[in-house]
Amino acid sequence: MDSQCSSSVGNINSTPVSARIESYEGEKKCISDVRRTFCLFVTFDLLFVTLLWIIELNVNGGIKEQLRKEVLEYDYHQSFFDIFLLAVFRFAALILAYAVCKLRHWWAIAITTTIATGFLIVKVVVSKLLSQGAFGYLLPIISFILAWIETWLLDFKVLPQEAGDEIRYLSVQNTLDQEPLLYPGPVSEGQFYSPPESMADSDEDLDDKHDLEKPIV
């Protein structure tokens, strides 16, 4: 009974610890949930800017004609094509850094955000986009906001949560390493076994008893 209780206590305490370690090691082999969310948002950034640019091309006289004017006859002061290329650059750099290489530092997104911010500010100040209607305001502002949301997600959500998960993983692993000391193995029945008394010892005890019972003359 005692051995069964000891065995069950050891199993109850070791199973959740082992499960948590296996779960964390599985996440380390692939990609964490919060990093996957970040990569999805980077993809959304590219798709959203692309959609806005296609709508702008269609509104201003047809996609084919505007593609020829903005791409083949590129003019920095009037074209939105470079804002689309900026979104492609952000997507390629961030996916390569944080999905493929799985970097755990902020330097890659710091570079992309700095380049995007500087380019957009210069583009708005120097170019003539603001005279081209709503899209002259919309595309630069949306691109600027998305770039900084990506920076916020990585710096305040992805990296801190992954660092916390690693700390918890190390503490759980230390607990598992100390587990044999905390939870001893089952006690064998042999430790409680008492051998039967021999027949010779029984006879000697009976003789002593009879001697004591004899009256003293």
Side-chain angles (χ1 to χ4, degrees):
M1 181 65 180
D2 292 336
S3 62
Q4 292 179 355
C5 291
S6 302
S7 177
S8 62
V9 169
N11 293 332
I12 290 173
N13 286 277
S14 62
T15 300
V17 174
S18 303
R20 280 182 286 177
I21 289 181
E22 291 175 359
S23 175
Y24 182 80
E25 289 177 346
E27 287 185 358
K28 287 184 69 176
K29 291 179 181 178
C30 53
I31 188 170
S32 64
D33 293 338
V34 66
R35 187 177 290 254
R36 189 182 302 114
T37 303
F38 171 77
C39 294
L40 286 175
F41 188 81
V42 172
T43 306
F44 168 77
D45 175 11
L46 174 63
L47 296 177
F48 191 50
V49 172
T50 303
L51 178 63
L52 289 178
W53 184 51
I54 292 174
I55 294 174
E56 183 269 332
L57 293 175
N58 201 23
V59 168
N60 291 335
I63 295 179
K64 290 183 179 180
E65 180 64 23
Q66 289 299 117
L67 276 176
R68 182 187 62 79
K69 185 182 296 185
E70 293 195 14
V71 178
L72 299 179
E73 301 174 3
Y74 171 74
D75 183 6
Y76 175 79
H77 297 282
Q78 296 182 348
S79 178
F80 293 96
F81 179 59
D82 46 13
I83 296 180
F84 165 73
L85 290 181
L86 185 64
V88 173
F89 163 72
R90 285 201 308 271
F91 171 81
L94 295 178
I95 292 298
L96 178 64
Y98 296 109
V100 179
C101 298
K102 298 180 182 178
L103 292 181
R104 306 189 68 177
H105 200 273
W106 48 263
W107 64 264
I109 199 167
I111 293 174
T112 59
T113 304
T114 302
I115 293 175
T117 302
F119 179 84
L120 291 171
I121 291 175
V122 173
K123 178 83 171 176
V124 170
V125 172
V126 176
S127 68
K128 302 176 182 178
L129 295 181
L130 301 182
S131 62
Q132 299 187 24
F135 285 99
Y137 297 89
L138 191 60
L139 272 170
I141 292 174
I142 291 297
S143 184
F144 181 86
I145 292 174
L146 291 176
W148 279 97
I149 291 177
E150 290 165 356
T151 305
W152 176 81
L153 277 176
L154 184 77
D155 200 24
F156 290 94
K157 295 294 182 180
V158 179
L159 299 182
Q161 181 167 331
E162 290 184 346
D165 291 341
E166 185 173 6
I167 292 173
R168 285 191 293 271
Y169 166 73
L170 293 176
S171 64
V172 169
Q173 193 174 36
N174 291 334
T175 302
L176 188 61
D177 293 338
Q178 298 173 1
E179 193 175 39
L181 299 176
L182 299 176
Y183 309 108
V187 181
S188 63
E189 295 181 359
Q191 297 181 11
F192 297 99
Y193 175 76
S194 57
E197 296 180 354
S198 61
M199 294 297 296
D201 294 339
S202 307
D203 295 339
E204 291 178 359
D205 292 340
L206 291 174
D207 293 338
D208 293 339
K209 185 176 182 182
H210 286 306
D211 292 339
L212 292 174
E213 291 177 353
K214 288 179 180 180
I216 300 174
V217 179

